[in-house]
Amino acid sequence: MKKTETKRWRHTSPLAAIFYLGRIFKGITQNAVQSLAPLAAFLYAAEGSLMTRIVVGISLFLAVTIIASVVRYWFFRFRIGDDRIRIREGVFNKKQLDIKFDRIQAINTEQNFIYRRFGLVNVTFDTAGSAKEEGHLPAVPNELAESLQARIRREAPLRADTAEGADAEPPSSRRRLLTLGSSDIVRVGIADNRALVFLLLLGPLSEQIDERIGDVVNDRAEAYFESLQLGLLGGIALLAAIVFAVVAILVLASIVGAFLRYHRFVLVADEDVLRSTGGLLTRHEHSIRFNKIQSLLVRQDVMRRFMGRFEMRARQASSGSGGRRDFKIPLLAADLVATLKSEVFGDELPDADLDPRSAEFRALHPQYRRSRILLAGVLPALLAAATLAMPLGWFSLLLLLWIPIAALFVTVLYRKSGYQVRPDGIVLRRGFFGYRMTAFLHRKVQRISLTQTVAQARRGVATLRFYLASGSVKLPYIDHALATRLRDYVLFRVESSRKAWH
């Protein structure tokens, strides 16, 4: 990048209007009622046939959104300075962003099939203290994005080991850590539980359309059964076939979505940056610097447990408002989990074991199980039985069966909960059907709270909560004396560490 180019305000490509058009449609889908209410009022009040009003309304809607996206592009400017990037945008509500390079945690890019043809990308910046991207550069040349990435890495603060005076330089080689093939992406789609969530939504949807098509469906179904002389078993088989077809369609849609997002997914370690690329129609590139990672979340749900695979999320600092932006690796084997742990934490957490079935995890205090059975099982069952004793009589005692059921659930939760305390960090584990492990370094902790309920105080146990820049994690029901020592030790490591938390 030439020096003169960094001193003037610049436009992006006119194709940035596509980026803003997507933003407008996304905002409409998130606030459909407020956004589409004026259009609905117009269609209701306008004269003419229904088809004419629909055509006019859709044409007006498209014209307004296209004009709005062009206008937003026209009022967008950016300037790259010596140590920061400035962005001006807004038509009526003017806004200027001043983002210093040392606040940028990651630069992410997206490239749809139109931009790919013209060598353009959308660039977004993740900054410390923000739960979402703070700034964006839509439709800029690939060369600008690459030079900006290199410049920010070059001018960013040195890694913590350099701050301690280490002479070793970070490796300059670009190491490929993971490549997802077609079979892996199919596994990602099958493991995605959004298809099952959508299946649950079919119930309310079917209720809404039942009044209109119920009679037709019943008449045709009755004629169909009579013609084929189907009995009860035939009807059950038909219903099972319909359910199977719906589930298969949803799973297929989930697999297609996985290919759209993770096609040709590649994970590399580029010096001190973890970078992933993938996508079919839109090519996504996400990156995060190792020293910006606050904690590692390793998950293994039922499907990934059956496949022997994990999902990993590297969590970075956020303000806590809005959604958290994680660096996500959708599918990886156990050996790569250990490799990435070493890449992220270096030599600070070498003896931590992220195998969920590891014997290194210590169990919580047994009082956790007893208190949860009492609160979630015994008390609700007794209260329900006492309340319904008059109308149900002796049948109300059947409600007491909830106690062993709750005890079974709590026992599973208790056995899957655990923790590892290491000289440089902590690993917490919990789960029910699967496992969920969170690993973080002591020096990343910003605050610790130690709490006790009245019942915990009588039993000599306490709950610790660790507050990091990426959120908080809880270690419940451990011995009070141990909790006190652990709190003091972590605070000591925070104060004595010469490495930065960010």
Side-chain angles (χ1 to χ4, degrees), residues 285-439:
E285 178 177 318
H286 291 260
S287 61
I288 185 171
R289 286 163 50 200
F290 288 126
N291 62 338
K292 298 297 184 181
I293 297 176
Q294 298 295 308
S295 60
L296 280 183
L297 174 64
V298 180
R299 300 172 57 184
Q300 189 180 53
D301 53 24
V302 175
M303 292 305 301
R304 288 183 175 86
R305 187 177 179 184
F306 176 77
M307 301 171 187
R309 297 293 188 270
F310 298 85
E311 176 192 270
M312 178 178 286
R313 295 174 183 260
R315 293 189 160 173
Q316 58 191 37
S318 66
S319 63
S321 59
R324 179 188 288 110
R325 293 182 61 82
D326 298 335
F327 184 95
K328 180 179 176 181
I329 306 170
L331 194 76
L332 65 165
D335 56 345
L336 187 55
V337 171
T339 300
L340 285 172
K341 184 207 71 171
S342 301
E343 292 279 354
V344 172
F345 298 130
D347 58 355
E348 291 189 86
L349 208 58
D351 50 352
D353 192 351
L354 295 185
D355 181 357
R357 288 164 288 277
S358 171
E360 297 295 324
F361 284 99
R362 301 175 59 180
L364 302 180
H365 196 281
Q367 180 61 24
Y368 172 85
R369 178 166 51 182
R370 291 193 289 266
S371 65
R372 291 299 183 267
I373 292 175
L374 177 64
L375 295 176
V378 177
L379 292 181
L382 291 178
L383 180 61
T387 303
L388 300 176
M390 292 295 293
L392 296 182
W394 291 104
F395 288 101
S396 63
L397 296 178
L398 294 175
L399 297 173
L400 298 180
L401 294 175
W402 172 248
I403 297 177
I405 296 175
L408 176 62
F409 279 86
V410 170
T411 300
V412 173
L413 287 172
Y414 172 75
R415 290 179 177 177
K416 289 195 173 183
S417 299
Y419 64 98
Q420 299 178 42
V421 178
R422 296 293 182 256
D424 295 307
I426 296 176
V427 181
L428 305 179
R429 184 189 68 185
R430 60 189 180 92
F432 184 76
F433 292 109
Y435 291 97
R436 181 186 179 97
M437 295 172 293
T438 303

